[in-house]
Amino acid sequence: MDYQALSNRFMRFAEECSGSSTLYAFLSKNIAANKELLELSAHAGKGQPIPNLFFGAVHFLLLNGTEHELRNYYASIVSEPKTETEAFPVFLDFCLRNRQAIIPLLQTKMVQTNEVRRCAYLLPIFDSIYRKTNKPLAFIEIGTSAGLQLLWDKYRYTYSFNNQVYGNEQESLYIHAEVRGNGKPIISERFPPVERRIGIDLHINDVTDKASYQWMYALIWPEHHERRAMFKQAVSLVRKHKEKLQLIEGNAIDMLVELVEEIPMNNTVCIFHTHVANQIPKQEKERLLSDIAQIGESRDIFHIYNNMWDRKLHLDAFMNKEVESRVVGETDGHGRWFTWELEEW
């Protein structure tokens, strides 16, 4: 085990949590200097973001009734959590006492948050694609988890640049996002028609299953009350519209070409994935891009992604056997804000 590399991962995670989760930021810095906890966290499955998985495992045990003083530091469990600066000795004690319960979670679980607020920046992309092709959209989401983002058109949205509500104003799940910078997306009053909603993942989280639901819930950071509320509302809509989703367990890259062949030519194919590609090996990424380019030789296809080579959101458009690669903008990991650099075609 390369403890220095693992320590660096926790330090980077502390930076990511800064201003968003004071508890995880503080604990991450201390874990980075503690060999016992680094060794414990190293039981994570290959390719998994270890800090997220480690904190998720601890949170899962606490939410499911493991009694320990550590509960008093989690805003997701108590209404007035203790200050995080006193939390590390308690966290260390919890982890050492519950080592045998934590290790199986690290070995078998995956980080699949399925952040529904990211739909705020997917909506204007999908709308732009529909205006360009004027064909019903067919979606294939890679790393779909529970399929929450595939129901993007069932939610309602507002943005910081105007007062308009997009979608059904009566819908329970309300998503707001800040659009930073000078660029502003154009969003139609009516959402594009959707014909197919296919989601593929190595492990599908069935939100009708209590254990799967609780694991996804545990991956949400303790202070993020709004994320938990949106997750609950999105889950209720997935249960309501479950028949609209085709969720497939397996390797998406192996299945992609065959799945696209099943989609009628009068549909516009949109392949998308958010905060997933960082877990895909380089060789598989290259195969994914090659397969999409090959498909683009015979039909129009659009690929929306981030974390492939950098953190920016990208759109590769294959139309009439020509390809345009565009940068959409920068995005917040939890979808709270984004920039818009995508000009109208």
Side-chain angles (χ1 to χ4, degrees):
M1 167 54 58
D2 186 343
Y3 288 105
Q4 186 58 55
L6 187 51
S7 174
N8 292 341
R9 292 181 73 170
F10 275 96
M11 288 303 296
R12 288 194 298 270
F13 190 71
E15 294 175 6
E16 181 183 339
C17 295
S18 178
S20 186
S21 174
T22 55
L23 178 63
Y24 281 1
F26 179 79
L27 291 176
S28 292
K29 292 177 182 177
N30 284 272
I31 293 169
N34 186 283
K35 191 172 182 179
E36 285 182 297
L37 292 182
L38 291 176
E39 184 275 331
L40 177 58
S41 71
H43 286 86
K46 185 178 179 181
Q48 288 297 300
I50 293 177
N52 307 65
L53 187 64
F54 188 38
F55 283 122
V58 171
H59 199 193
F60 180 82
L61 294 175
L62 290 171
L63 289 168
N64 283 277
T66 302
E67 290 296 333
H68 194 275
E69 186 187 350
L70 184 61
R71 297 169 57 87
N72 296 318
Y73 292 87
Y74 280 70
S76 53
I77 299 174
V78 297
S79 56
E80 297 182 7
K82 292 184 177 181
T83 177
E84 71 280 351
T85 55
E86 302 170 358
F88 183 69
V90 185
F91 183 86
L92 176 62
D93 182 75
F94 177 90
C95 291
L96 297 181
R97 287 177 182 271
N98 293 280
R99 176 184 174 88
Q100 296 309 312
I102 292 172
I103 289 175
L105 293 173
L106 296 175
Q107 292 174 332
T108 60
K109 296 293 187 181
M110 302 174 70
V111 175
Q112 296 172 290
T113 52
N114 211 182
E115 192 63 55
V116 70
R117 190 154 47 184
R118 294 173 188 157
C119 292
Y121 56 71
L122 292 173
L123 163 59
I125 301 173
F126 299 154
D127 190 50
S128 177
I129 292 171
Y130 177 67
R131 289 197 304 272
K132 183 68 175 177
T133 67
N134 199 32
K135 295 179 182 179
L137 305 181
F139 292 99
I140 299 176
E141 182 185 15
I142 298 173
T144 194
S145 186
L148 305 187
Q149 293 182 356
L150 285 167
L151 291 175
W152 60 273
D153 57 329
K154 305 301 178 186
Y155 312 143
R156 64 184 172 117
Y157 303 82
T158 60
Y159 297 88
S160 59
F161 62 88
N162 64 22
N163 296 317
Q164 187 167 345
V165 177
Y166 301 95
N168 184 355
E169 292 193 30
Q170 305 305 314
E171 189 50 75
S172 59
L173 177 51
Y174 161 69
I175 296 173
H176 176 78
E178 176 188 359
V179 181
R180 296 182 176 179
N182 296 323
K184 301 293 183 290
I186 298 172
I187 305 173
S188 305
E189 290 189 11
R190 297 187 65 181
F191 289 167
V194 179
E195 289 292 327
R196 297 286 297 274
R197 307 171 196 266
I198 303 169
I200 316 171
D201 209 311
L202 295 174
H203 173 71
I204 295 295
N205 279 303
D206 179 4
V207 290
T208 64
D209 174 71
K210 183 178 180 181
S212 293
Y213 173 88
Q214 289 175 331
W215 172 248
M216 293 185 70
Y217 191 86
L219 288 170
I220 301 172
W221 299 356
E223 300 93 333
H224 292 190
H225 303 295
E226 187 178 22
R227 287 177 66 200
R228 276 190 293 278
M230 287 192 292
F231 173 71
K232 291 178 181 178
Q233 292 164 347
V235 166
S236 68
L237 286 168
V238 166
R239 291 169 177 168
K240 178 181 177 181
H241 298 287
K242 192 172 183 180
E243 76 286 349
K244 298 181 184 296
L245 300 175
Q246 181 183 354
L247 303 182
I248 304 170
E249 200 159 271
N251 186 320
I253 301 170
D254 289 341
M255 303 177 180
L256 187 63
V257 173
E258 185 176 347
L259 284 171
V260 171
E261 288 176 352
E262 297 175 3
I263 297 173
M265 294 295 289
N266 62 350
N267 289 178
T268 297
V269 178
C270 297
I271 298 168
F272 74 98
H273 46 94
T274 60
H275 297 271
V276 169
N278 56 302
Q279 299 183 41
I280 301 175
K282 181 180 178 182
Q283 186 174 357
E284 291 290 275
K285 292 179 187 179
E286 292 173 348
R287 183 157 70 99
L288 172 63
L289 294 176
S290 176
D291 286 349
I292 293 174
Q294 181 181 345
I295 295 168
E297 293 177 1
S298 57
R299 68 179 299 166
D300 293 350
I301 188 168
F302 298 82
H303 183 202
I304 302 104
Y305 58 91
N306 59 11
N307 283 26
M308 183 77 83
W309 316 115
D310 58 37
R311 295 182 62 87
K312 287 193 173 184
L313 190 65
H314 295 261
L315 169 63
D316 294 343
F318 296 82
M319 296 178 293
N320 302 317
K321 299 183 180 182
E322 296 183 358
V323 60
E324 290 186 55
S325 295
R326 296 167 174 255
V327 173
V328 178
E330 297 180 1
T331 63
D332 170 64
H334 297 135
R336 295 169 297 181
W337 59 264
F338 62 93
T339 64
W340 188 259
E341 301 172 28
L342 184 64
E343 296 179 359
E344 285 296 295
W345 299 336

